[in-house]
Amino acid sequence: MGRAEAAIALLVLVLLAASLTWLARRYALHRQLVDQPGERRSHHVATPRGGGIAIVLTVLLATLAAAFCFPAAAPRLIVFAVGLLLVAGIGWWDDHRPLPALWRLLVHMLAGALLAGLAWQATGNLLQAVLVFLVATALVNLWNFMDGINGIASSQAVVAALGLAAVMPAPYAFAPLALAAACLGFLPFNFPRARIFMGDVGSGALGYLLAAFVALASVATDINWLALLVPLMAFLVDAGFTLLSRMLSGQRWMEPHTQHVYQRAVKAGASHTRVTGVYILLGFSGSAVLVAIASLPSLQQGGVAVAWGGLLACLWGVMRVRLRNH
């Protein structure tokens, strides 16, 4: 596929995702799938949810097209699609009728195991397969935790996908670009004003997809695993350290809350647009760091990744102290 054809295909995916989001909003309003404002939420207006199904369907259609264009890769693409359907399906169910957290986690682990199996089959490296499983299970849940204000989850997926695409060879790079296109079709309905929320069907799927593309990049390139996580680091730090602090303080960490730094910033008076914009800047910075270090030796890549994570962790700590009363 040439650059012109790829550009046209990506534009089609943007328009498809936008159309499907519009339909998802009509469906949510018809079924009264609406998130009400509350103490543990960061919005103040009742808003329909479940718009992330548009991203899922767009990526699935792109996967079907890829399987048609590359028949040799079709079995692996089918396994990937099954994992996506599992994560999105349990999220769609939860959007309609809330499920116990353990059930969702078991499905997420099953999807992660499918990705891990693909990594093992591609590399024969058991350690890499275990890493894929852990990263996939973690990202599915962390992306759900971080989907709490307008535009933040989908915009971070866009910048992370662009960063991963920039260091991947063709045709592999088209996979994260397809995700970025699908998110760009959804984003105008969710940012700066939210006319529909992504819902669990979308947030969990984004975590799964980004884990899949990190795994794909680890197979298609020689880049250090830690370096591949740099574009995701803003979310990993905020979600990870907030989760750890809740666990250490004895709180019920699986319950909804508004203790992430991005949520505290909104409670302190910052607008959704401003806070999401800061995270977009951090995401683009992380993607730029990944591109800059991609040609370095693996050990140096890992060192820079650890330093970047440490910098963001320090920033998280400073903001946590400044926003401790919110």
Side-chain angles (χ1 to χ4, degrees):
M1 181 185 295
R3 291 185 177 181
E5 291 84 357
I8 292 173
L10 291 173
L11 178 59
V12 168
L13 292 178
V14 172
L15 296 176
L16 176 61
S19 300
L20 290 172
T21 305
W22 181 80
L23 290 173
R25 185 174 186 275
R26 288 178 59 89
Y27 170 83
L29 290 172
H30 175 71
R31 290 292 303 270
Q32 296 184 340
L33 299 177
V34 177
D35 278 345
Q36 299 293 339
E39 181 182 351
R40 295 179 177 177
R41 299 185 183 274
S42 299
H43 65 282
H44 304 289
V45 178
T47 307
R49 66 177 180 270
I53 188 65
I55 298 173
V56 173
L57 292 176
T58 300
V59 172
L60 284 173
L61 288 172
T63 303
L64 179 63
F68 178 79
C69 295
F70 305 100
R76 294 187 292 276
L77 290 170
I78 290 173
V79 174
F80 158 79
V82 169
L84 177 57
L85 284 170
L86 285 171
V87 173
I90 200 71
W92 181 252
W93 190 345
D94 195 51
D95 284 332
H96 286 72
R97 184 177 299 174
L99 293 168
L102 180 60
W103 291 17
R104 300 197 305 271
L105 180 60
L106 290 174
V107 172
H108 298 163
M109 292 174 68
L110 177 57
L114 291 176
L115 283 183
L118 290 177
W120 194 1
Q121 186 271 333
T123 65
N125 188 327
L126 180 59
L127 177 58
Q128 183 158 353
V130 172
L131 283 172
V132 171
F133 172 76
L134 294 175
V135 169
T137 305
L139 283 181
V140 168
N141 289 279
L142 293 185
W143 226 265
N144 181 270
F145 296 158
M146 294 296 290
D147 181 29
I149 62 173
N150 299 353
I152 193 168
S154 52
S155 63
Q156 282 294 294
V158 170
V159 297
L162 292 177
L164 292 170
V167 299
M168 293 169 66
Y172 301 106
F174 189 80
L177 288 177
L179 172 60
C183 290
L184 287 173
F186 166 81
L187 200 53
F189 293 86
N190 185 245
F191 182 79
R193 183 175 70 89
R195 288 179 284 165
I196 189 169
F197 291 150
M198 184 177 297
D200 288 348
V201 63
S203 57
L206 287 185
Y208 172 86
L209 288 167
L210 288 168
F213 299 147
V214 167
L216 181 61
S218 75
V219 172
T221 72
D222 295 323
I223 297 175
N224 187 294
W225 253 93
L226 289 175
L228 292 173
L229 294 176
V230 166
L232 314 175
M233 204 69 79
F235 264 29
L236 291 175
V237 167
D238 195 357
F241 278 92
T242 301
L243 178 62
L244 180 61
S245 67
R246 285 174 58 80
M247 293 174 70
L248 291 176
S249 62
Q251 300 180 55
R252 294 185 177 181
W253 55 273
M254 288 297 291
E255 290 186 350
H257 62 87
T258 55
Q259 296 182 22
H260 292 291
V261 162
Y262 79 91
Q263 293 170 317
R264 288 173 180 259
V266 169
K267 289 170 68 176
S271 67
H272 286 215
T273 302
R274 181 180 178 183
V275 175
T276 295
V278 169
Y279 277 78
I280 290 174
L281 179 61
L282 291 173
F284 269 124
S285 299
S287 292
V289 169
L290 171 60
V291 173
I293 67 175
S295 59
L296 296 178
S298 178
L299 187 60
Q300 294 182 24
Q301 292 175 359
V304 173
V306 170
W308 180 255
L311 177 63
L312 292 183
C314 291
L315 178 61
W316 179 89
V318 169
M319 295 305 299
R320 180 85 170 185
V321 171
R322 293 186 60 181
L323 299 169
R324 62 181 178 273
N325 295 323
H326 297 280

